Amino acid sequence: MEKETVVWAKDAFENIIKKMSFVYERSKDKIPYTTINGVHDDHSVNDIGWWTNGFWGGIMWQLYIATGEECYKKTAIENEKKLDKLFLNYKLLDHDNGFKWLPTAVANYRITGDEESKNRGILAADNLAGRFNVNGEFIRAWNDWDGDNIDRRGWAIIDCMMNLPLLYWASETTNDPRYRHVAIKHANKAQKHFVRENGSVKHIVEFDVETGKEIRDYGGQGYRDGSSWTRGQSWGIYGFALSYDHTKDIEYLKTAEKIADNFIQNIPESGLIPVDFDQPKEVTWEDSTAAAIAACGMLKISEFKECSDKDKYFNTALKLLKTLTDCRVNLNEKEDDLLLKCTAAYNDKIHDFSIIYGDYFYIEAICKLNGKYINIW
Ligand code: GLY
């Protein structure tokens, strides 16, 4: 890294460590998703199945590796154990098992070798593999939701690329290739059906549940059908880079680069990322999570010796992270939110708030730049 980069990235790292020590004291018994008036909410009691409930544990592990402070390890393990309730209710398990158990149980196993954590990770992987539609060759995303009659049996979403590393890990850990086979089949299907010619990606694709034929796609959490939801692009960049990492199939790296190139072409002058690259010009809603995740993905791409242009991806990641650091990071120690202006979905009523996975991926990237981090994925 250039000297100038080292200075800001080191400052950003130290600022995270300091701020999070205050946030930790207030939030250690919670599993936060967002903040209300600067105070973390808590999903540990009434919404334990929520897909983001592994990220607080992931932040704790990153802070533990960064500082060596035992308190972070303790809270990470508590977060992991709170998720055990999910194993007793299949409706709370879905394709996001990767997001829930990679940053908690699998991270714990990688760091401490704990057998109970390994057990949790394998159970989560078994359940994830069980969502594979054999004829269709895709992993079903969500379960049916109470309150609507939408048939989601044939729905797969780009986000799932980030859950595949749970399957790769399970194969590496058990020496049983079945999990990897499922992950590869899904990744191949996603490569063919989600990535457009120009490198942008679709959020949701519906397949025929008997034949696997593509039926249609949906805009999902983006602006509208056919648009370019920025967090979906980010999941695609990082997700395909991770499939390359685990399989060494060069086509996955090329796909990650193709999506990253489209993302790079669309980064506005400000360096701040909108919710959807196709949103109307007058709409100012942002999604800082997309910036942080894309940066993590581009850092990953730049590590591979087969990468077509390491400088391009590394420097873009730095630009995204520097912009977030200068403009969208809240260092006020009395407030729990770290990364500002995140958006869950374009068509939601609320935008531009703090979201825990935004904090997580920003922390992961800055810790990585400082060489003090655990590889979760
Ligand atoms: N995986 C759901 C989301 O990115 O909002």
Side-chain angles (χ1 to χ4, degrees):
M1 274 197 293
E2 285 164 23
K3 210 164 157 213
E4 207 183 309
T5 306
V6 177
V7 173
W8 76 255
K10 190 162 179 289
D11 285 350
F13 177 75
E14 281 164 8
N15 287 337
I16 287 171
I17 302 300
K18 184 153 178 271
K19 157 125 187 181
M20 291 310 291
S21 69
F22 290 95
V23 176
Y24 173 80
E25 285 306 326
R26 293 188 291 269
S27 302
K28 59 187 174 213
D29 296 325
K30 301 179 180 178
I31 300 185
Y33 167 63
T34 186
T35 51
I36 298 160
N37 299 324
V39 179
H40 268 149
D41 65 354
D42 181 11
H43 280 240
S44 67
V45 181
N46 294 327
D47 199 7
I48 194 62
W50 186 232
W51 75 275
T52 67
N53 283 351
F55 287 106
W56 178 244
I59 290 173
M60 295 296 107
W61 282 120
Q62 296 295 1
L63 293 175
Y64 172 66
I65 296 297
T67 65
E69 302 273 354
E70 288 291 321
C71 61
Y72 296 125
K73 177 177 168 185
K74 180 171 174 283
T75 298
I77 293 170
E78 283 166 7
N79 187 145
E80 175 185 333
K81 289 185 176 167
K82 286 175 190 167
L83 298 183
D84 282 353
K85 281 194 197 113
L86 307 187
F87 290 123
L88 296 176
N89 185 346
Y90 76 93
K91 287 187 177 171
L92 297 180
L93 296 165
D94 62 19
H95 79 139
D96 285 328
N97 286 3
F99 281 128
K100 290 172 195 158
W101 280 283
L102 282 165
T104 53
V106 176
N108 189 356
Y109 176 65
R110 284 183 166 133
I111 293 168
T112 70
D114 186 84
E115 282 296 316
E116 206 174 275
S117 299
K118 174 180 165 184
N119 190 53
R120 291 186 178 101
I122 298 295
L123 283 177
D126 277 329
N127 179 268
L128 178 57
R131 301 183 71 80
F132 186 65
N133 181 311
V134 175
N135 285 8
E137 302 193 333
F138 66 89
I139 293 173
R140 176 180 174 170
W142 298 308
N143 303 325
D144 293 331
W145 297 347
D146 292 340
D148 71 26
N149 289 320
I150 296 172
D151 179 359
R152 293 188 177 82
R153 292 173 302 159
W155 285 24
I157 70 174
I158 189 66
D159 323 27
C160 189
M161 292 304 300
M162 291 298 293
N163 290 313
L164 301 186
L166 180 65
L167 300 176
Y168 295 126
W169 167 81
S171 270
E172 286 154 20
T173 305
T174 61
N175 198 29
D176 182 336
R178 288 175 303 142
Y179 306 96
R180 176 168 41 81
H181 294 164
V182 168
I184 288 172
K185 291 275 187 215
H186 179 90
N188 292 345
K189 186 92 179 184
Q191 202 171 29
K192 193 158 164 223
H193 292 269
F194 282 77
V195 187
R196 302 187 185 106
E197 205 46 53
N198 69 356
S200 72
V201 300
K202 307 165 187 175
H203 183 200
I204 301 171
V205 178
E206 181 172 10
F207 299 104
D208 184 291
V209 290
E210 296 295 345
T211 66
K213 194 169 171 298
E214 180 172 338
I215 295 174
R216 59 162 294 187
D217 59 274
Y218 300 87
Q221 287 162 248
Y223 168 44
R224 62 180 177 194
D225 292 352
S227 72
S228 181
W229 176 47
T230 55
R231 192 162 64 256
Q233 316 307 302
S234 306
W235 293 139
I237 296 167
Y238 203 4
F240 277 104
L242 290 166
S243 270
Y244 176 67
D245 201 20
H246 289 280
T247 65
K248 296 296 173 236
D249 178 340
I250 195 73
E251 293 307 317
Y252 296 146
L253 178 58
K254 286 188 192 160
T255 302
E257 290 187 354
K258 182 173 172 171
I259 305 170
D261 288 347
N262 178 275
F263 193 100
I264 291 168
Q265 280 160 21
N266 280 290
I267 296 175
E269 193 63 34
S270 65
L272 298 164
I273 303 303
V275 183
D276 193 307
F277 284 131
D278 296 328
Q279 71 192 36
K281 292 274 168 290
E282 64 278 12
V283 175
T284 57
W285 299 328
E286 290 175 30
D287 186 12
S288 301
T289 75
I293 298 159
C296 288
M298 291 190 212
L299 287 180
K300 188 57 154 176
I301 291 174
S302 73
E303 287 168 14
F304 301 123
K305 70 174 187 320
E306 297 79 6
C307 173
S308 66
D309 188 342
K310 287 176 190 242
D311 286 350
K312 175 171 70 179
Y313 300 112
F314 186 71
N315 291 335
T316 306
L318 288 189
K319 183 182 160 188
L320 289 166
L321 293 167
K322 175 85 165 59
T323 305
L324 290 178
T325 302
D326 291 345
C327 309
R328 294 293 178 256
V329 168
N330 173 21
L331 292 177
N332 184 335
E333 289 159 1
K334 294 198 169 74
E335 293 170 351
D336 294 338
D337 32 14
L338 181 67
L339 198 62
L340 304 173
K341 292 203 178 236
C342 305
T343 295
Y346 184 90
N347 290 302
D348 280 355
K349 289 201 174 64
I350 52 163
H351 307 87
D352 294 338
F353 56 107
S354 82
I355 309 184
I356 198 71
Y357 50 88
D359 293 357
Y360 172 78
F361 284 102
Y362 175 73
I363 290 172
E364 176 186 299
I366 297 296
C367 287
K368 189 174 201 178
L369 287 179
N370 284 274
K372 288 185 182 165
Y373 94 114
I374 155 95
N375 182 16
I376 296 280
W377 315 100

